Amino acid sequence: KITDVDAYEASIDSFLDGEYSQPFADDAPAPHPGLTHSETLDCALRSLRRMDEPYESHGAAVFMRFCVPLTNSERWGLSSELDPWKTILRGALSPNMLARQLRASSAFASLLDWQRLDFSEGFAIPSDRLELGVGTTLAFVNAALYFEEGEPNIIQFTLRKIGGAWLIDDAVVSKRDWFVSPQDDKVGDGDSDVGEGMP
């Protein structure tokens, strides 16, 4: 019989290990060179939205596959030096903790509850800066998160190409007028030909 003490000690071990104890689903996506920056983000965000399918925090575990690992300075340095996204990842020692960090974030909690999702075309910037690695490419993709009511939330993601595959490096909340032009507002309410619903 599992006691409360056993459960408590198991939770501590999980916290310290920062690992996902469940197997990944057979159809769980993973980064690979065949995905564009927008497709990579789409896979990551849809996995995160299906948080507890087929296991608790499975979506967060899959999402973490698509994130650039924090550097030692980002993981253990002064938290005041980090932006909000890196602060969330810093506190996410396990998938379950990532889910909690996102839920508690006023900026990024919407990643867990959106109803429809749409992306900008995105654009990539070749770079040979040493700190990014020779030949590394940066990409910026805006994700529009739509809900049953109200304005969409717009989050701009920065992705880096590492080992031939795109990974999420950073995220910031954007203003709606960066994503939607004034002409788009005049056409309609955005219900037609905007994004895709949850399958």
Side-chain angles (χ1 to χ4, degrees):
K1 181 180 179 179
I2 299 177
T3 66
D4 291 341
V5 173
D6 292 333
Y8 179 73
E9 291 179 347
S11 66
I12 292 178
D13 290 340
S14 176
F15 173 87
L16 294 176
D17 291 342
E19 297 178 351
Y20 182 59
S21 59
Q22 298 285 355
F24 284 102
D26 293 338
D27 59 349
H32 65 81
L35 294 175
T36 67
H37 38 68
S38 295
E39 290 170 342
T40 294
L41 189 57
D42 183 78
C43 288
L45 295 187
R46 291 185 185 278
S47 296
L48 188 63
R49 181 65 178 83
R50 301 183 182 94
M51 177 61 70
D52 295 324
E53 300 175 16
Y55 315 110
E56 181 180 2
S57 300
H58 179 269
V62 174
F63 182 83
M64 292 174 74
R65 284 173 153 183
F66 287 89
C67 294
V68 175
L70 296 180
T71 64
N72 287 335
S73 61
E74 289 171 337
R75 175 69 70 184
W76 309 114
L78 298 176
S79 59
S80 60
E81 298 176 353
L82 299 178
D83 60 39
W85 180 254
K86 294 293 177 69
T87 299
I88 286 177
L89 293 185
R90 178 179 180 172
L93 299 182
S94 69
N96 188 47
M97 292 180 67
L98 173 61
R100 292 179 181 177
Q101 291 280 329
L102 289 172
R103 178 61 67 193
S105 170
S106 60
F108 298 111
S110 60
L111 291 172
L112 304 177
D113 300 318
W114 52 268
Q115 297 298 314
R116 292 184 294 131
L117 181 65
D118 194 17
F119 297 98
S120 66
E121 288 293 330
F123 61 95
I125 303 176
S127 174
D128 293 326
R129 294 168 57 192
L130 293 179
E131 64 267 31
L132 296 178
V134 176
T136 297
T137 302
L138 292 179
F140 301 91
V141 181
N142 283 335
L145 311 176
Y146 293 87
F147 306 88
E148 290 184 3
E149 297 180 354
E151 297 287 333
N153 285 2
I154 312 298
I155 300 178
Q156 184 183 75
F157 289 87
T158 302
L159 293 88
R160 286 170 53 186
K161 203 170 192 179
I162 299 177
W166 290 102
L167 296 176
I168 299 169
D169 186 42
D170 207 350
V172 296
V173 176
S174 300
K175 296 181 179 179
R176 184 173 183 270
D177 56 11
W178 293 358
F179 191 85
V180 180
S181 67
Q183 290 80 3
D184 292 333
D185 281 336
K186 296 177 181 178
V187 171
D189 59 9
D191 287 338
S192 62
D193 198 27
V194 179
E196 298 180 15
M198 289 291 294

